[in-house]
Amino acid sequence: MVRPFRSGDLDAVAALARQTLVDDAPSLERLARDFLLDPGFKPEDLLIAERLSRPAGFLLAPRLRPPAPADDDAKYRTRWIAGFGVHPELRRQGIATALLRRALDSAAEDGVERIDVADFPVRYLLPGIDPVAHAAAHALLVERFGFRLRDTVASMGIDPAKAPEGRQDGPPIRRLEPGEIPVVRDFLCGRFGWDWWLHMARTLEARLAGAAIASDILVAW
């Protein structure tokens, strides 16, 4: 059975994410902060597949919802698959197919014109489906459902101790100070869109509340 998210599902979703997304799994707190807390979130954006009354898989497919009925920008007619997974012991039984079919059918009923994997404009769990690390998921999307490659993303990392020293010329760069928030907010909203600012505001709220988060905001002036 595939159904919308319920209030008691979050622990199970976080556990499924750890079992399926492995190194990229979001914490329970991040799921709540970045998705459930979003003002546009609805339970049908997070689908749960049940088997014998226990969660067996999930699919997180949020969408932006317009602030006013008159808004008809294209981004409001797009839905994003931010992540999905099935318990390792229950794969190859059609659970992921059922989740994706439910998401696609409901999107068509809502008049959604485009479905993208990842790339949610406010935040995402994964920047795409890795065809090597997640070969089965990639094949399901491409071969079964007809998704087409739009672009590719390189996942990168570096040991800070081995990083080369930065150049000293160029504009001054420093950590964003609280008093500079209005200036940076206006810059982001004017040049990139309000969704960029929403993402940054979540980081700032956590940092100002004293949370120990890895994210930082640097500004070149």
Side-chain angles (χ1 to χ4, degrees), residues 121-123 176 178 180-190 192-205 217:
V122 178
R123 60 199 65 86
L176 177 65
E180 297 165 343
I181 288 175
V183 175
V184 174
R185 180 198 61 210
D186 292 346
F187 169 76
L188 280 172
C189 292
F192 296 95
W194 66 271
D195 44 336
W196 281 67
W197 171 249
L198 285 180
H199 180 58
M200 186 174 289
R202 293 286 172 81
T203 298
L204 286 168
E205 288 168 2
I217 299 172

Side-chain angles (χ1 to χ4, degrees), residues 33-118:
R33 182 194 71 217
D34 287 354
F35 294 95
L36 305 191
L37 191 60
D38 190 283
F41 176 82
K42 291 188 176 181
E44 55 265 31
D45 293 347
L46 178 49
L47 297 175
I48 308 296
E50 283 189 349
R51 183 174 182 183
L52 301 178
S53 301
R54 299 186 65 179
F58 76 98
L59 187 145
L60 178 59
R63 59 176 294 190
L64 288 179
R65 290 182 168 85
D71 294 334
D72 61 353
D73 191 281
K75 64 185 177 183
Y76 297 124
R77 299 191 297 275
T78 301
R79 192 165 183 174
W80 290 267
I81 296 177
F84 68 96
V86 175
H87 190 287
E89 297 178 0
L90 299 175
R91 293 173 183 170
R92 304 289 183 181
Q93 299 182 33
I95 295 175
T97 298
L99 285 164
L100 285 162
R101 176 54 57 198
R102 173 70 173 269
L104 269 60
D105 288 348
S106 65
E109 293 172 1
D110 290 343
V112 170
E113 298 176 358
R114 178 183 177 128
I115 298 179
D116 281 347
V117 177

Side-chain angles (χ1 to χ4, degrees), residues 121-173:
V122 178
R123 60 199 65 86
Y124 54 71
L125 296 180
L126 301 174
I129 299 294
D130 188 325
V132 176
H134 300 286
H138 184 269
L140 179 65
L141 290 170
V142 174
E143 299 172 10
R144 181 69 179 271
F145 286 95
F147 280 79
R148 294 179 296 173
L149 179 66
R150 189 188 60 202
D151 48 36
T152 58
V153 177
S155 180
M156 301 182 184
I158 191 172
D159 181 349
K162 299 178 181 179
E165 294 186 3
R167 296 173 57 184
Q168 299 301 312
D169 55 343
I173 299 175

